[in-house]
Amino acid sequence: MTLLAVERIKLFTTRSPWWCALLTLLITIGFAALIAGTTDSGVGTVASTQFGYSFGLAVIMVLAALAVTTEYRFGTIRTTFQAVPNRTSVLLAKAGVVGLLALVIGEIAAFGSLGISMIIQPEADMALNSTAEWINVVGIGPIYALTAIIGMSVGLLIRHSAGAISLLLIYTLAVESLVGLIPNVGADIQKWMPFHVAEKFLTGDGATRSGMGGPPLSTSPLSPGWALAYFAGFALLMLVIGIGTARKRDA
């Protein structure tokens, strides 16, 4: 508990988490308001309220990466490792705090997006009547939390803010989409890309869209439950690699 308290204090005494949290909420909820305000009256669905979650996801990655790289930049991580030689415990505590913060941000963003859409389109059917619709909204939080762990892990590997953020954004915004364009094998590889699989957890077979447009549906062959497990396993693997690297390097 002491380590968790220390990591919480270190995280919240810097400006970047506050700005990233605010930016995530503004982007996701603002995008939901834009969608609701520009579509025909009564056409909105639960799924359409969450179309902007991927933009907030990118900011969560930045938040998580900065939580680590900023400490390396200013040398505070060295002081922490001197005080607590067990680096694994320190980094697990940091992952817990960053992941929990991302979870809370994700849930606020998801329900905020749903709420603003209901206000703008009160005649639309946006009630959470099915398990798929609940997952579509509540599932944003766990995906944000796991994404934060991935972002933190990349920060541990690279240790430089610009490099870590650039790699994360390029991968999520371009690489997974471009992989599908590779002749013959691209589509098969894309089915197993982590964020492509995470999309399968949130949207399933797309039944909640009820004819609405939006981003392309995931082609992953996994069920939503296994898709979440797959994404969680990838996040855990990245964390293990990140912690293992941090233990071997000089702080």
Side-chain angles (χ1 to χ4, degrees):
M1 293 298 293
T2 301
L3 281 176
L4 290 173
V6 169
E7 293 302 327
R8 174 182 57 81
I9 292 170
K10 286 197 294 183
L11 181 65
F12 287 106
T13 49
T14 57
R15 296 179 181 178
S16 57
W18 297 101
W19 282 111
C20 288
L22 179 60
L23 185 58
T24 301
L25 296 178
L26 288 176
I27 291 175
T28 53
I29 297 175
F31 193 86
L34 178 64
I35 293 293
T38 54
T39 55
D40 295 335
S41 179
V43 176
T45 64
V46 172
S48 70
T49 69
Q50 305 302 318
F51 284 165
Y53 92 93
S54 59
F55 299 108
L57 196 74
V59 184
I60 290 296
M61 284 187 168
V62 174
L63 185 158
L66 288 176
V68 174
T69 57
T70 301
E71 286 212 60
Y72 277 106
R73 178 184 176 187
F74 292 104
T76 55
I77 194 76
R78 185 180 301 110
T79 303
T80 301
F81 287 160
Q82 288 174 345
V84 184
N86 188 341
R87 296 186 179 186
T88 299
S89 298
V90 172
L91 296 175
L92 285 176
K94 183 179 290 294
V97 171
V98 173
L100 181 59
L101 174 60
L103 175 68
V104 172
I105 294 172
E107 296 300 344
I108 295 174
F111 281 98
S113 297
L114 180 64
I116 194 69
S117 299
M118 285 181 169
I119 293 173
I120 296 174
Q121 287 201 12
E123 67 284 354
D125 182 13
M126 297 183 187
L128 302 177
N129 296 318
S130 67
T131 301
E133 288 171 331
W134 274 102
I135 291 175
N136 210 170
V137 179
V138 179
I140 300 295
I143 293 300
Y144 273 24
L146 293 171
T147 298
I149 291 175
I150 294 171
M152 175 187 150
S153 302
V154 172
L156 286 171
L157 291 171
I158 297 180
R159 302 201 296 184
H160 295 284
S161 299
I165 292 171
S166 298
L167 178 61
L168 287 166
L169 294 182
I170 290 172
Y171 179 82
T172 53
L173 298 178
V175 172
E176 289 204 359
S177 299
L178 295 176
V179 163
L181 301 178
I182 300 175
N184 300 324
V185 298
D188 292 329
I189 296 174
Q190 189 181 50
K191 291 179 181 179
W192 299 100
M193 303 294 276
F195 290 95
H196 189 72
V197 174
E199 181 70 22
K200 184 59 176 282
F201 165 65
L202 292 174
T203 58
D205 59 4
T208 57
R209 290 191 178 182
S210 301
M212 282 286 295
L217 291 173
S218 173
T219 58
S220 170
L222 299 175
S223 67
W226 280 111
L228 177 62
Y230 181 92
F231 190 62
F234 177 78
L236 179 60
L237 175 62
M238 289 296 298
L239 182 61
V240 170
I241 295 172
I243 291 177
T245 303
R247 291 182 62 182
K248 294 177 181 179
R249 286 177 175 173
D250 291 335

